């Protein structure tokens, strides 16, 4: 009856070498590397239902297959260490109130405990119970999943703390309501990890730093601090298992193949393929051991996979490494690096994602590490600046005056197909330095704008003084942007921080009359506590709000503004000391290290992002390539189907836009806006937090406006010197 005991006796009699027979495949192509051990049938074992594991032990779950399920009484877990030496077995009673049960999922925690789900054989196929057992095999608690979650919920993985994740992986693709991913800890406390709108979540994996990766068919998402981010999209390839290996490596099973994925470079390699050896078999259930070995189930066989690099030998070692600095590597760049590495034999791209150096205890870790690499002569060859990087402190302006970057104009001037004239001219002018050098080349951008009703104010742009004067006329407009004092100041600084900060010089001056007056104005904007101000479209109609802020990335986006004003709009821009407050918000850009020994290679690698064909394929934002930009301006209406409705959210403000084909007037207005932009909006979230903390002293009447401006100037100066 206790079939699992046979496995214990077999190991004692034959030694664990008979369980796994490793085949040396180091000379075979990497895609064919696979080591197949003896099948369980050969050892007298009927089947292996599941293999689960952690960094120390592996658990094989056997069960006896009887024709009459009423004879099922017990199952037995066999636990081995990572050398596949027998540790112990755990008998488990399967009866519960007379129902006959069977295992579905089992996951082993780092302390030897385990989670499992069961289903009854009374006609219900869904998991019915979730159980947690401690390291001694004693049951800690049971949860009725049908009562707590509903039908079709599955245990899809655990994290490094042993918390269990459950969701409905078989949700219909036609359903549009968010699916909930639940987390349950070892004390049976349940919480919601995230609500998400995609279906068919299969597995989760947990990285060393606590980040949870979610596998969704061909997509891999990162869940960190409640935020969900798409990391990789592999198109038509569908995976069914994900496992974290070393720090930056994960493994994926795709039926008859196992892939190794580098999370930093995005390089994906097939390390096992059983198409030839066992064409009717599929891989499942991976276990990664501390000594870098990978085990998998291949139907009823346990296989041990060779993780040697192979397929490269001396050629791999002789490839020149080009390092690429990023912050929170975006999927497009990871795929770019992966594609290049698989097609090029001379150079290899190695992505260094500096976001891993940031954490709650060291919010400046990424910047400090990059600066350290530059000082010690390990400057990356290429820098890719994403919007996330700009917000978290990776401001390229900080490095421009320090000789870190090469002047990209040198490469544009020598390129047969890409020249200065190939790009939006005012964009290059906004990015280049006062000396006329171009150290950063944007790939794409959006316009950050502030709008008012057509002829509402009678100005196309305004200074701070003009803004204050205009607001004094509107006694009924008790909010300017639908924000109180702190939020209003934050919005001004997000858009106009370069009024007070010279990023390249690492200096600042907030002790200006304009900033003091801005503080005083913001303080007058008091929101009633717990008041429901309603939607911006209603506030504007009632005369309580006369400005609306948002971004424009395509011609059709003008209809967001017109929907709020119920009519035509003027992009007046944020008030500044010199007017013209609309700005470029760069989404992605690149720089080349002046210290790189391969600058020409770096340019050849990067120039593909700026070619017209690539830029036309990017539909989310405005491209920097002039031809691609003009094409998008002329054809932007195609991105939304006429008559389609889209629900937008800005804070607590929800409104619907019913899109129509863009009119000629709308196209001309957006085109004029894009060509009028002459400044780049940059900010640093950490720095803004410092400013807002000090400004709160003034808003709470603990400091004067002048004292507050002086304190801000002093503290920001210290911050800038620390980062330089």
């Amino acid at each position: 009856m206790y079939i699992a005991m046979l496995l214990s006796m077999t190991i004692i009699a034959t030694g664990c070498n008979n369980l796994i027979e490793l085949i040396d495949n180091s000379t075979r192509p990497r895609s064919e590397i696979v080591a197949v051990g003896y099948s369980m049938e050969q050892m007298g074992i009927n089947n292996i239902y599941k293999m689960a594991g952690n960094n120390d032990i592996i658990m094989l779950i056997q069960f006896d297959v009887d024709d009459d399920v009423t004879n099922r009484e017990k199952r037995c877990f066999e636990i081995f260490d990572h050398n596949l030496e027998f540790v112990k077995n755990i008998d488990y009673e399967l009866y519960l109130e007379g129902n006959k049960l069977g295992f579905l999922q089992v996951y082993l925690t780092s302390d030897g405990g385990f989670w499992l789900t069961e289903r009854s054989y009374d006609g219900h196929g869904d998991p019915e119970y979730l159980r947690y057992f401690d390291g001694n095999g004693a049951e800690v608690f049971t949860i009725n999943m049908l009562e707590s979650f509903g039908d079709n919920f599955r245990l899809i993985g655990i994290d490094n703390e042993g918390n269990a994740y459950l969701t409905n992986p078989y949700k219909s693709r036609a359903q549009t309501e968010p699916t909930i991913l639940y987390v349950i800890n070892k004390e049976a406390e349940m919480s919601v990890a995230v609500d998400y709108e995609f279906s068919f979540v299969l597995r989760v994996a947990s990285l060393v730093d606590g980040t949870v990766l979610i596998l969704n068919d061909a997509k891999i998402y990162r869940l960190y601090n409640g935020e969900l981010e798409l990391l990789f999209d592999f198109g038509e390839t569908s995976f069914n298992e994900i496992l974290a290996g070393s720090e930056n490596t994960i493994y994926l099973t795709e039926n008859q193949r196992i892939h190794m994925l580098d999370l930093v470079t995005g390089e994906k390699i097939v390390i096992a393929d059983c198409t030839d050896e066992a064409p009717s078999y599929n891989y499942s259930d991976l276990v990664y051991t501390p000594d870098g070995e990978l085990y998998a189930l291949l139907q009823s066989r346990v296989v041990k996979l060779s993780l040697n690099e192979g397929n490269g030998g001396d050629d791999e070692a002789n490839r020149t490494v080009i390092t690429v600095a990023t912050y929170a590597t975006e999927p497009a760049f990871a795929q770019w690096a992966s594609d290049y590495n698989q097609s090029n034999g001379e150079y290899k791209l190695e992505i260094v994602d500096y976001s891993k150096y940031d954490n709650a205890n060291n919010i400046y870790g990424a910047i400090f590490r990059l600066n350290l690499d530059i000082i010690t002569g390990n400057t990356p060859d290429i820098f890719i600046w994403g919007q996330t990087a700009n917000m978290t402190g990776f401001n390229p302006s900080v490095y421009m005056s320090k000789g870190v970057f090469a002047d990209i104009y040198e490469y544009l001037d020598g390129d047969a197909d890409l020249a200065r004239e190939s790009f939006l001219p005012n964009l290059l002018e906004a990015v280049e330095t006062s000396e006329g050098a171009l150290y950063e080349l944007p790939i794409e951008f959006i316009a950050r704008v502030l709008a008012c009703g057509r002829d509402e104010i009678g100005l196309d742009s305004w200074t701070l003084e003009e803004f204050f004067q205009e607001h004094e006329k509107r006694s009924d407009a008790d909010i300017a942007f639908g924000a109180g004092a702190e939020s209003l100041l934050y919005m001004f600084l997000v858009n106009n921080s370069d009024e007070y900060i010279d990023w390249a010089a690492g200096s600042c001056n907030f002790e200006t009359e304009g900033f003091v007056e801005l503080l005083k104005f913001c303080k007058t904007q008091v929101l009633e506590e717990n008041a429901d101000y309603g939607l911006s479209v209603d506030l504007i109609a009632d005369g309580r709000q006369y400005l609306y802020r948002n971004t424009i990335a395509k011609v059709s986006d003008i209809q967001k503004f017109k929907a709020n004003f119920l009519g035509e709009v003027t992009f007046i821009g944020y008030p500044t000391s010199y007017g013209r407050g609309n700005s470029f918000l760069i989404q992605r850009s690149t720089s080349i290290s002046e210290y790189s020994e391969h600058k020409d290679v770096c340019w050849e690698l990067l120039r593909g992002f700026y070619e017209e064909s690539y830029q036309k394929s990017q539909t989310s934002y405005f491209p920097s390539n002039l031809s691609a930009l003009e094409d998008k301006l002329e054809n932007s209406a195609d991105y939304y189907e006429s008559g389609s409705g889209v629900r937008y959210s800005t804070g607590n403000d929800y409104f619907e836009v019913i899109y129509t084909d863009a009119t000629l007037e709308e196209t001309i207005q957006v085109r004029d806006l894009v060509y009028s932009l002459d400044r780049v909006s940059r900010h640093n979230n950490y720095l803004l937090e410092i400013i807002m903390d000090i400004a709160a002293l003034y808003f709470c009447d603990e400091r004067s406006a002048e004292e507050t401006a002086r304190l801000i100037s002093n503290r920001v100066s210290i911050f800038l010197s620390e980062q330089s």
Side-chain angles (χ1 to χ4, degrees):
M1 179 64 72
Y2 303 110
I3 298 299
M5 296 178 62
L6 294 176
L7 179 59
S8 301
M9 292 186 290
T10 304
I11 292 177
I12 294 173
T14 63
C16 65
N17 287 336
N18 280 348
L19 181 63
I20 300 295
E21 179 181 283
L22 179 61
I23 301 173
D24 182 8
N25 296 291
S26 59
T27 60
R28 297 169 63 187
R30 178 180 297 165
S31 62
E32 296 180 6
I33 292 179
V34 59
V36 180
Y38 294 115
S39 70
M40 294 300 100
E41 289 92 342
Q42 292 172 326
M43 301 178 62
I45 303 300
N46 289 346
N47 205 347
I48 298 178
Y49 183 68
K50 183 81 174 178
M51 178 168 66
N54 55 39
N55 282 344
D56 299 310
I57 51 183
I58 296 173
M59 175 165 57
L60 301 179
I61 304 166
Q62 287 85 35
F63 63 93
D64 184 16
V65 180
D66 265 328
D67 292 334
D68 185 357
V69 297
T70 60
N71 290 333
R72 293 172 180 255
E73 295 178 354
K74 288 186 178 181
R75 299 297 179 266
C76 185
F77 300 161
E78 291 291 337
I79 297 181
F80 303 85
D81 64 19
H82 64 270
N83 293 316
L84 288 181
E85 294 183 355
F86 176 73
V87 176
K88 62 180 178 180
N89 66 282
I90 298 177
D91 291 338
Y92 174 59
E93 192 73 43
L94 281 180
Y95 281 106
L96 181 65
E97 298 177 359
N99 291 330
K100 307 301 181 290
L101 305 174
F103 296 116
L104 279 180
Q105 304 96 16
V106 180
Y107 288 93
L108 196 63
T109 62
S110 59
D111 58 3
F114 56 90
W115 295 86
L116 64 83
T117 59
E118 299 171 335
R119 66 180 173 188
S120 65
Y121 284 87
D122 59 359
H124 201 297
D126 291 338
E128 192 164 348
Y129 299 98
L130 172 70
R131 305 183 187 279
Y132 177 67
F133 296 80
D134 63 22
N136 297 317
E139 183 174 340
V140 179
F141 60 82
T142 296
I143 295 176
N144 188 313
M145 296 175 63
L146 295 178
E147 294 178 357
S148 300
F149 309 113
D151 293 343
N152 285 322
F153 268 80
R154 298 290 193 272
L155 173 64
I156 62 171
I158 62 174
D159 60 23
N160 289 337
E161 301 299 321
N163 302 312
Y165 289 76
L166 298 97
T167 192
N168 179 358
Y170 305 112
K171 168 188 162 187
S172 168
R173 297 178 187 275
Q175 291 178 269
T176 58
E177 74 275 7
T179 299
I180 298 177
L181 179 64
Y182 290 102
V183 180
I184 302 178
N185 64 20
K186 298 177 182 179
E187 285 73 43
E189 297 171 333
M190 182 172 61
S191 60
V192 175
V194 68
D195 293 353
Y196 48 87
E197 296 182 357
F198 50 74
S199 63
F200 210 66
V201 174
L202 290 174
R203 292 287 187 268
V204 300
S206 184
L207 302 182
V208 175
D209 64 356
T211 300
V212 173
L213 300 181
I214 298 177
L215 173 64
N216 168 236
D217 274 352
K219 298 181 177 66
I220 297 176
Y221 293 82
R222 172 166 57 188
L223 175 63
Y224 191 72
N225 289 335
E227 296 294 327
L228 199 64
E229 175 190 3
L230 176 64
L231 290 183
F232 300 98
D233 185 345
F234 297 108
E236 299 299 322
T237 304
S238 182
F239 300 105
N240 47 47
E241 182 70 74
I242 184 172
L243 173 76
S246 58
E247 181 179 4
N248 295 314
T249 304
I250 62 173
Y251 299 95
L252 303 160
T253 61
E254 178 210 0
N255 294 330
Q256 295 180 308
R257 295 180 177 86
I258 298 179
H259 301 257
M260 180 172 64
L261 173 64
D262 190 317
L263 290 176
V264 176
T265 66
E267 185 174 10
K268 181 168 61 68
I269 302 170
V270 175
I271 62 169
D273 189 335
C274 69
T275 306
D276 296 331
E277 290 92 341
S280 62
Y281 284 6
N282 289 329
Y283 284 109
S284 63
D285 301 316
L286 302 173
V287 176
Y288 182 84
T289 66
D291 50 5
E293 294 177 333
L294 185 69
Y295 296 92
L297 282 184
L298 182 62
Q299 295 299 95
S300 58
R301 298 180 177 182
V302 179
V303 301
K304 180 178 179 181
L305 306 176
S306 172
L307 301 183
N308 66 77
E309 290 300 315
N311 196 35
D314 294 337
D315 291 339
E316 179 75 15
N318 292 332
R319 293 171 77 185
T320 300
V321 174
I322 302 292
T323 54
V324 182
T326 68
Y327 188 97
T329 307
E330 298 178 18
F333 290 116
Q335 190 64 51
W336 162 69
S338 176
D339 293 344
Y340 181 82
N341 288 340
Q342 295 186 48
S343 63
N344 189 279
E346 184 176 0
Y347 297 96
K348 179 180 180 180
L349 291 178
E350 182 177 293
I351 293 182
V352 181
D353 190 337
Y354 283 89
S355 65
K356 67 181 180 181
Y357 297 107
D358 275 348
N359 54 61
N361 298 321
N362 185 10
I363 60 175
Y364 308 133
I367 297 174
F368 177 82
R369 180 53 187 253
L370 175 59
N371 292 346
L372 180 63
D373 285 348
I374 293 173
I375 293 172
T376 57
N378 296 313
T379 308
D381 297 281
I382 291 172
F383 296 79
I384 294 180
W385 313 96
Q387 180 59 24
T388 302
N390 290 332
M391 291 190 298
T392 49
F394 277 78
N395 190 329
S397 298
V398 174
Y399 300 97
M400 289 181 183
S401 62
K402 304 182 185 304
V404 176
F405 301 146
D407 187 351
I408 298 178
Y409 276 147
E410 295 181 10
Y411 301 97
L412 290 177
D413 293 341
D415 196 297
D417 299 313
L418 286 174
R420 302 185 191 210
E421 295 73 24
S422 302
F423 296 87
L424 179 66
N426 50 309
L427 175 60
L428 295 189
E429 291 171 4
V431 175
E432 69 181 24
T433 65
S434 57
E435 293 79 19
L438 185 70
Y439 296 124
E440 172 194 17
L441 184 56
I443 296 175
E444 54 197 1
F445 65 91
I446 60 179
R448 176 177 267 167
V449 300
L450 183 67
C452 62
R454 176 82 51 92
D455 302 325
E456 176 77 12
I457 297 174
L459 297 171
D460 293 327
S461 64
W462 51 4
T463 64
L464 274 171
E465 184 178 357
E466 290 171 328
F467 167 66
F468 296 149
Q469 293 172 355
E470 184 67 33
H471 195 69
E472 287 179 2
K473 302 176 185 177
R474 302 169 182 274
S475 57
D476 293 335
D478 54 350
I479 54 174
F481 300 113
E486 293 186 12
S487 297
L488 186 58
L489 177 61
Y490 185 90
M491 286 177 235
F492 272 107
L493 293 176
V494 162
N495 292 280
N496 298 324
S497 60
D498 58 348
E499 283 248 0
Y500 315 103
I501 300 174
D502 186 335
W503 299 99
S507 61
C508 68
N509 183 16
F510 288 86
E511 297 178 71
T512 65
E513 181 180 354
F515 184 72
V516 171
E517 291 302 314
L518 177 61
L519 284 174
K520 292 179 179 179
F521 170 76
C522 290
K523 190 175 182 179
T524 65
Q525 304 305 300
V526 179
L527 296 179
E528 299 176 16
E529 187 174 358
N530 299 323
D532 182 8
Y533 283 89
L535 305 181
S536 59
V537 63
D538 298 327
L539 294 171
I540 291 172
D542 293 341
R544 297 183 61 202
Q545 182 176 332
Y546 61 99
L547 300 168
Y548 179 70
R549 69 188 188 278
N550 214 304
T551 59
I552 290 184
K554 57 182 70 70
V555 172
S556 307
D557 286 343
I558 191 176
Q559 296 176 15
K560 292 186 294 187
F561 293 83
K562 295 171 72 172
N564 272 275
F565 288 98
L566 302 177
E568 301 300 322
V569 297
T570 295
F571 297 124
I572 191 169
Y574 288 84
T576 65
S577 61
Y578 47 80
R580 304 188 314 278
N582 297 316
S583 60
F584 290 109
L585 185 58
I586 297 175
Q587 296 301 295
R588 297 187 299 172
S589 62
T590 67
S591 299
I592 298 174
S593 170
E594 176 64 26
Y595 306 125
S596 175
E597 298 178 358
H598 314 285
K599 289 194 284 290
D600 290 338
V601 176
C602 293
W603 171 245
E604 287 300 319
L605 284 164
L606 295 176
R607 67 183 307 281
F609 290 118
Y610 303 99
E611 292 177 340
E612 182 178 352
S613 58
Y614 175 83
Q615 295 248 312
K616 282 185 175 180
S617 69
Q618 306 305 299
T619 60
S620 298
Y621 309 111
F622 287 122
S624 60
N625 181 287
L626 192 57
S627 296
L629 174 63
E630 287 293 343
D631 180 76
K632 179 163 186 173
L633 290 172
E634 293 175 8
N635 300 293
S636 191
D638 296 338
Y639 295 116
Y640 291 121
E641 181 181 354
S642 180
S644 63
V646 178
R647 194 182 191 212
Y648 279 97
S649 168
T650 304
N652 294 323
D653 188 2
Y654 297 90
F655 63 95
E656 186 175 50
V657 180
I658 305 299
Y659 285 100
T660 60
D661 290 339
T663 65
L664 177 60
E665 182 184 8
E666 288 174 337
T667 300
I668 292 174
Q669 188 174 0
V670 172
R671 187 182 189 279
D672 289 344
L673 168 69
V674 168
Y675 276 83
S676 71
L677 302 176
D678 61 358
R679 50 187 291 270
V680 175
S681 176
R682 302 190 192 276
H683 70 279
N684 180 305
N685 283 348
Y686 304 141
L687 185 56
L688 288 177
E689 289 176 8
I690 293 172
I691 295 174
M692 299 310 301
D693 287 344
I694 300 174
L697 299 175
Y698 169 62
F699 297 142
C700 296
D701 297 322
E702 296 182 17
R703 293 286 191 279
S704 69
E706 291 76 13
E707 288 176 317
T708 302
R710 183 169 61 255
L711 287 172
I712 290 174
S713 198
N714 291 339
R715 184 62 187 91
V716 172
S717 294
I718 294 173
F719 175 89
L720 293 173
S721 65
E722 289 174 345
Q723 304 311 305
S724 62

